[in-house]
C-alpha cells in the first residue's frame, strides 16, 4: 500500500486565492538547490512569487559565493522580497524567524492567507481545500488547515545531496511505513509531525501569532499544536518532508551542536514503501 498524500493532479486547490496567498520561509543559504525546488513547488500551488513570496536567507556562516548563489536562485524565480539575516546560532535564529513571521502576518490584509513552510517542506492540498474551509467557516470552526509531515527517502537509503534538474520526488521516492501519529511528547527523542499548512491572516478579529513552528494563537484561540491536541484546523493529510538529504543532515548536525535539540534524525526508515506523487 502507498501513503496517501494531499494533492490533486492540477495543483488547482489554492489558485482561486492566488492574489491573496502569501508564502514565508527562512532558509539557510546552504540549501540553495532545495530552495529552487521549494519555489517551483509553491509557484505551482498558486503563490505569485514576484509579489507574495517573502524569504529570509540566513548566511549560516557560509562563504560569499554560497550566499550569492542562494540570492541568485531567488532572483531566477522572480522573488522580490528577499532579506539577508547575518550568521547566528540556530537557537537564536528560531526566535528571529518567529518574530519576522508574526510581523508579516500582522501586516497582511485581513483577507489574505499565509503558507509558512521551511524549505524542506513541500505542502500540498486537496482539490476541495477551499470548499472545505468555506463550509467550515460557515460553522465558525476553522480558519486554518493542518497536515502531517512525511519524510521522503532515497531509494538506496543514503542521505544524498539534492540535485537541481531531477524532480525532487524522483530523487526521494520512498516513505517510512511507520505512522506519523506515533508522536509521543514525553519520549526522550521525538519529532512533532503536525504543521499548520495554511492560515488566514485574521481569525476572530485577531492577527494570528506563531508560538513555535507547530502552533499559533489568535487572541486566546490556539491553532495547531500536537496530534493529540484540539487543533482548531482542518486536516488535509500528509505532505512531503525532505529531511533525508545531506543539506538537511548538515543543518541538523549544526542544530545539535547549538544544543537546540538532541536528535531528530531517528533511523526509522528501515521499513519503507514507494510514495505517491506529491
Amino acid at each position: 500500500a502507498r501513503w496517501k498524500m494531499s494533492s490533486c493532479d492540477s495543483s488547482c486547490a489554492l489558485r482561486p486565492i492566488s492574489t491573496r496567498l502569501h508564502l514565508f520561509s527562512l532558509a539557510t543559504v546552504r540549501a540553495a538547490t532545495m530552495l529552487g525546488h521549494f519555489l517551483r513547488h509553491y509557484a505551482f500551488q498558486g503563490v505569485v512569487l514576484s509579489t507574495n513570496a517573502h524569504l529570509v536567507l540566513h548566511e549560516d556562516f557560509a562563504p560569499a559565493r554560497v550566499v550569492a548563489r542562494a540570492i541568485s536562485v531567488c532572483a531566477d524565480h522572480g522573488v522580490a522580497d528577499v532579506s539577508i539575516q547575518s550568521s547566528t546560532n540556530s537557537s537564536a535564529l528560531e526566535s528571529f524567524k518567529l518574530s519576522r513571521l508574526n510581523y508579516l502576518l500582522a501586516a497582511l490584509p485581513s483577507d489574505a492567507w499565509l503558507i509558512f513552510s521551511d524549505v524542506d517542506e513541500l505542502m500540498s492540498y486537496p482539490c476541495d481545500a477551499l470548499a472545505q474551509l468555506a463550509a467550515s467557516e460557515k460553522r465558525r470552526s476553522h480558519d486554518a488547515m493542518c497536515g502531517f509531515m512525511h519524510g521522503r527517502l532515497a531509494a538506496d537509503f543514503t542521505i544524498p545531496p539534492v540535485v537541481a534538474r531531477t524532480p525532487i520526488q524522483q530523487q526521494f521516492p520512498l516513505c517510512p511505513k511507520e505512522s506519523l501519529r506515533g508522536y509521543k511528547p514525553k519520549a526522550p527523542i521525538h519529532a512533532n509531525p503536525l504543521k499548520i499548512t495554511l492560515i488566514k491572516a485574521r481569525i476572530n478579529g485577531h492577527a494570528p501569532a506563531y508560538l513555535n513552528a507547530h502552533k499559533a494563537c489568535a487572541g486566546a484561540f490556539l491553532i495547531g499544536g500536537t496530534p493529540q491536541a484540539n487543533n482548531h484546523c482542518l486536516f488535509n493529510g500528509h505532505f512531503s518532508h525532505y529531511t533525508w538529504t545531506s543539506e538537511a543532515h548538515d543543518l541538523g548536525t549544526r542544530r545539535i551542536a547549538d544544543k537546540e535539540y538532541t536528535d531528530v534524525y531517528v533511523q526509522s526508515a528501515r521499513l519503507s514503501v514507494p510514495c505517491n506523487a506529491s
Side-chain angles (χ1 to χ4, degrees):
R2 296 187 176 199
W3 278 101
K4 183 66 175 176
M5 296 285 186
S6 298
S7 61
C8 53
D9 292 340
S10 61
S11 290
C12 59
L14 302 183
R15 290 190 179 276
I17 59 168
S18 187
T19 59
R20 298 181 284 128
L21 180 64
H22 292 256
L23 171 69
F24 174 85
S25 188
L26 187 152
T28 170
V29 296
R30 296 178 183 272
T33 303
M34 185 67 207
L35 180 60
H37 289 285
F38 172 89
L39 291 172
R40 288 188 292 276
H41 172 80
Y42 284 108
F44 199 52
Q45 296 300 315
V47 177
V48 181
L49 298 182
S50 59
T51 55
N52 291 2
H54 313 277
L55 299 183
V56 181
L57 299 179
H58 178 219
E59 290 184 330
D60 204 2
F61 306 97
R65 61 177 175 77
V66 174
V67 177
R69 180 168 177 250
I71 294 172
S72 176
V73 168
C74 293
D76 289 346
H77 289 82
V79 182
D81 185 5
V82 181
S83 57
I84 307 297
Q85 168 61 28
S86 58
S87 299
T88 186
N89 68 60
S90 56
S91 297
L93 191 65
E94 187 67 16
S95 175
F96 174 81
K97 176 170 69 174
L98 292 177
S99 176
R100 287 292 298 267
L101 168 63
N102 290 333
Y103 180 84
L104 172 65
L105 261 171
L108 288 177
S110 60
D111 64 346
W113 292 84
L114 178 75
I115 299 169
F116 163 42
S117 175
D118 289 337
V119 74
D120 58 2
E121 298 167 351
L122 302 191
M123 296 171 179
S124 50
Y125 307 86
C127 278
D128 63 346
L130 296 179
Q132 288 186 45
L133 282 167
S136 184
E137 280 184 286
K138 289 179 181 178
R139 301 191 300 270
R140 296 184 178 275
S141 54
H142 297 114
D143 291 294
M145 300 196 85
C146 291
F148 288 102
M149 296 182 285
H150 202 181
R152 303 281 297 228
L153 300 133
D156 60 359
F157 300 103
T158 60
I159 303 179
V162 177
V163 299
R165 294 186 179 276
T166 303
I168 190 74
Q169 298 92 341
Q170 293 180 22
Q171 297 178 55
F172 301 90
L174 300 182
C175 290
K177 271 187 176 179
E178 286 85 352
S179 171
L180 290 177
R181 294 182 182 271
Y183 169 73
K184 296 179 176 60
K186 295 184 179 180
I189 297 175
H190 64 270
N192 183 359
L194 184 144
K195 295 295 290 281
I196 301 168
T197 56
L198 182 69
I199 193 166
K200 200 170 184 181
R202 297 294 180 273
I203 297 177
N204 298 331
H206 298 276
Y210 276 78
L211 305 176
N212 56 44
H214 307 268
K215 180 169 62 175
C217 67
F221 194 71
L222 292 177
I223 304 129
T226 65
Q228 291 84 2
N230 184 5
N231 307 108
H232 296 117
C233 54
L234 285 174
F235 282 90
N236 61 340
H238 300 82
F239 64 86
S240 295
H241 190 206
Y242 292 90
T243 54
W244 294 87
T245 69
S246 62
E247 295 89 345
H249 180 269
D250 291 344
L251 177 61
T253 300
R254 293 195 297 279
R255 286 180 168 178
I256 291 167
D258 287 340
K259 298 180 171 56
E260 184 180 348
Y261 47 47
T262 52
D263 183 11
V264 297
Y265 296 95
V266 184
Q267 295 289 342
S268 62
R270 295 183 303 277
L271 300 174
S272 61
V273 293
C275 308
N276 67 327
S278 66

